[in-house]
Amino acid sequence: MSTHHTAARRAEELRELIRHHEHCYFVLDRPEISDADFDHLVNELKAIEREHPELVTPDSPTQRVGGTAREGFVKVAHSAPMLSLDNAYSEDELRDWARRATELAGTAEIEFECEYKLDGLSMALHYEASEHGGARFVKGITRGDGSTGEDVTSNLRTIKSIPLTVSHAQLKKAGLTAPFEVRGEVLMPTRSFQTMNEQREEQGLAPFANPRNAAAGAVRVLEPNVTAARRLDFYSYFLLQEGRTARASQWEALEAMSAAGFKVNPNRRRAHSIEEVWQFIVETEAARDQLPYEIDGVVVKVNQTALWTRLGFTGKAPRWATAYKFAARAAITQIEDILIQVGRTGKLTPVAALNPVAIGGTMVSRATLHNQDEIERLGVRIGDHVMVERGGDVIPKVTRVVDDKDHPRGTRKFAMPAHCPECGGHVVRAEGEVNSFCVNVNCPARLRESLLHFASRKVMNIEGLGEALVDQLLSRGLVTNIADLYDLGEEQLLTLDRMGKKSVENLLGEIAASKKLPLERLIFGLGIRMVGERTAEFLSAHFGSLDALMAANEEQLLEVEEVGPRIAQSILQFFAEEKNQKLIERLRAAELNFTGEKKVRGTKLAGLTFVLTGTLPTYSRDEAKRRIEDAGGKVSSAVSKKTSYVVAGEEAGSKLEKAQQLGVAVLDEAALLKMLED
Ligand code: IVH
């Protein structure tokens, strides 16, 4: 058999395996193999596809990111209108809805089906028959105005819980034939949302207000890579054929989609009475805070789809379904003052001091206003009545000003102070940044926050070193920087309030244990501006020791994943500071762990520097960069005499010219691959 045939067989085998494991991981949340083993399968498939580009199929798991950005979105008509739902805000309203539905249905045998009301965006996914008796994802459309939406197929392809193909076996199991349409909700899990916002804040970008907005933005960007990076999820809740529901009951439709490999929320229930529906609602509301995504209610549908036609519609909503909405986790209250909080990096955050108000069972008296731009965008003044919202476990935030005759506008405008309210230091706002900073590195508020950050669970995990203790240590002058923590002795600690022999022993044990933590934690703990958890991990893996990181110049820092010029500058500034150098020497003397595990890299290209330019025939720029780096080479962005090779693809421009001027060797992709393989 020719190598082509062997490769084709192996590629198909790998695709099957990858699809199976993607389904286990992303749809069922039940992985069967390790991430590393999974990556291994994907890499093997990618290698085959690179060798035999003719074997690449559009629905190969390697083709989730379609690559190129587009000009705009094409409008597409829906097979049947995508409707909205009427709401019920109380048990009474829910009962009224059920009574009317039962009357109109003309049967007491009516059943209900309850689902979570996911707080995302609805989408319509179209599948068509594929060669092998299966089905293939061909089009994904936003809701739009309900009758026409936008074609966002390439972006939706990056969502791993959306199957690109459904096998013949799956269709059979589901009793389904293509073409068909699946409708459901795209959402961003709360954790992805928080991580994304933390990163944005570190980079000086405005955070997204809520997961829904972040998901909406991600679905409508013109660059599928951005959608992919936002880690979205998709839950299916409607199955249609020719614009009509494809099953006798909603329950069966959900089961069929699940059997076909779609992600269907397991939190659902059939109910035979409104009491049972209510029970589900009560349980759901109690579980709401523990869910990994946001929901804003429960959707109750009449289960028997034959009754749907009989019940019909009112305006834009069906009578056979309703949305029971939870009490809004938002409330109107007055801003009494706008205070300034100084963070560990010296960042000044305006915080609204609120007239305390209960939101979803918690009293809220503070809400973040993020920064000066946000205050201007909202048009908030001190004394205004505002809407305050609280999401999952997100900090409450002001979302808009409420301006009506009962709520006259406030009169005092807020302005970012020129001096730090904690220490009187100068406040600066760098060109192009949204955040303002206190420039005094000795600002007591910064010190307090940096100690709390250093001791926190994700950093050095020093349990017991919380606010109360940090405040005492500071006011007694026992600690003036993080290194002082490692000099604390039993006697000093015993003099503090509420510190008995046992708690002192525990604390000293915790402090001692923190010395052994991985290097990335220490890097994160130093509090270098724009260096968050992720960047710290990359830095540790890249340099392998704190000394190597400290010795790195800008060019070397820029080689690290996700480190751009601004982060590089911030790192350089931090280590250039004499005070910080002294601090690090004391941490070394205290025997903290200064070395980490350097990512094992090849050595084939060690000592060589590459510059990539133009479009390569098969590799993306990022892939080529990774391959070079994995082989020990460096990739830099500008051509200089130190450049070993310029790798040029199509439409290579000025960098190629520069290489020729300087006499730097130029390679094409094939030559690069050869170097990697030899
Ligand atoms: S059924 C006519 N089921 O709520 C049917 N919708 O207000 C409408 N939603 O646009 C959709 N979770 O974005 C349905 N389990 C669920 C839902 C759900 C969230 C959203 C959906 C829709 C909106 C209707």
Side-chain angles (χ1 to χ4, degrees), residues 469 472 476 493-500:
L469 195 52
Q472 281 199 73
R476 304 265 187 111
L493 290 172
L494 278 169
T495 65
L496 302 177
D497 293 345
R498 306 219 279 153
M499 287 299 279

Side-chain angles (χ1 to χ4, degrees), residues 83-85 115-118 122 185 237-238 299 301 318:
L83 304 161
S84 57
L85 292 168
E115 296 166 22
Y116 284 0
K117 186 168 192 311
L118 305 163
S122 47
E185 203 86 352
Y237 51 65
F238 272 133
V299 179
K301 297 171 184 171

Side-chain angles (χ1 to χ4, degrees), residues 77-314:
H78 287 298
S79 63
M82 287 186 80
L83 304 161
S84 57
L85 292 168
D86 282 333
N87 297 322
Y89 291 99
S90 66
E91 192 178 346
D92 278 351
E93 285 181 25
L94 182 72
R95 284 180 183 280
D96 285 347
W97 167 78
R99 194 177 311 116
R100 252 175 293 129
T102 313
E103 272 169 28
L104 281 166
T107 168
E109 306 287 287
I110 194 164
E111 283 172 15
F112 303 104
E113 192 274 330
C114 314
E115 296 166 22
Y116 284 0
K117 186 168 192 311
L118 305 163
D119 199 5
L121 312 133
S122 47
M123 298 286 151
L125 315 179
H126 291 259
Y127 287 78
E128 276 173 13
S130 61
E131 309 86 64
H132 310 293
R136 159 182 306 156
F137 175 48
V138 290
K139 204 173 276 274
I141 317 168
T142 63
R143 177 168 183 268
D145 64 6
S147 47
T148 319
E150 286 175 319
D151 182 338
V152 289
T153 315
S154 325
N155 290 346
L156 295 184
R157 287 173 69 90
T158 67
I159 301 175
K160 301 272 183 31
S161 43
I162 295 183
L164 297 182
T165 60
V166 180
S167 70
H168 176 67
Q170 284 173 313
L171 285 182
K172 218 171 132 193
K173 196 166 148 218
L176 193 61
T177 47
F180 61 88
E181 179 182 346
V182 165
R183 291 185 180 177
E185 203 86 352
V186 167
L187 53 84
M188 182 179 287
T190 318
R191 263 187 65 100
S192 314
F193 172 70
Q194 285 167 345
T195 315
M196 183 196 69
N197 263 358
E198 277 164 24
Q199 278 172 21
R200 289 179 70 88
E201 295 234 38
E202 269 165 26
Q203 293 163 7
L205 299 170
F208 280 101
N210 54 51
R212 203 189 121 80
N213 289 0
V219 166
R220 291 200 73 264
V221 288
L222 290 166
E223 177 55 83
N225 278 319
V226 175
T227 320
R230 297 251 178 108
R231 288 170 211 289
L232 302 174
D233 209 345
F234 183 85
Y235 284 93
S236 312
Y237 51 65
F238 272 133
L239 178 62
L240 286 87
Q241 277 178 315
E242 290 168 23
R244 300 167 62 87
T245 171
R247 285 290 177 280
S249 73
Q250 170 66 6
W251 189 262
E252 287 164 65
L254 296 175
E255 303 262 272
M257 288 187 288
S258 181
F262 290 86
K263 190 166 188 169
V264 176
N265 202 322
N267 303 296
R268 58 179 190 263
R269 190 175 297 168
R270 264 176 298 188
H272 298 278
S273 66
I274 213 65
E275 284 70 30
E276 283 175 32
V277 170
W278 188 247
Q279 182 59 33
F280 182 79
I281 290 175
V282 171
E283 287 169 26
T284 302
E285 192 156 15
R288 186 181 184 191
D289 277 341
Q290 271 75 55
L291 294 173
Y293 44 74
E294 299 236 0
I295 62 172
D296 56 352
V298 167
V299 179
V300 187
K301 297 171 184 171
V302 169
N303 191 34
Q304 304 102 316
T305 51
L307 299 179
W308 291 6
T309 0
R310 224 182 285 172
L311 285 163
F313 305 90
T314 60

Side-chain angles (χ1 to χ4, degrees), residues 347-412:
K347 182 178 142 193
L348 271 58
T349 305
V351 175
L354 306 168
N355 193 353
V357 61
I359 307 180
T362 329
M363 283 310 273
V364 173
S365 54
R366 296 274 155 105
T368 179
L369 286 161
H370 297 297
N371 52 54
Q372 179 77 43
D373 283 5
E374 177 70 358
I375 291 177
E376 275 156 27
R377 190 184 68 80
L378 294 167
V380 167
R381 284 179 290 207
I382 298 164
D384 275 346
H385 284 81
V386 288
M387 185 64 80
V388 179
E389 282 181 24
R390 190 175 73 86
D393 38 359
V394 189
I395 338 157
K397 59 189 131 225
V398 173
T399 53
R400 67 184 170 87
V401 173
V402 180
D403 181 17
D404 57 37
K405 65 180 190 323
D406 294 329
H407 297 127
R409 297 296 312 273
T411 47
R412 256 172 72 211

Side-chain angles (χ1 to χ4, degrees), residues 545-560:
S545 77
L546 192 59
D547 291 292
L549 169 62
M550 286 172 72
N553 60 24
E554 180 171 10
E555 203 184 340
Q556 290 162 332
L557 287 168
L558 289 173
E559 284 166 14
V560 182

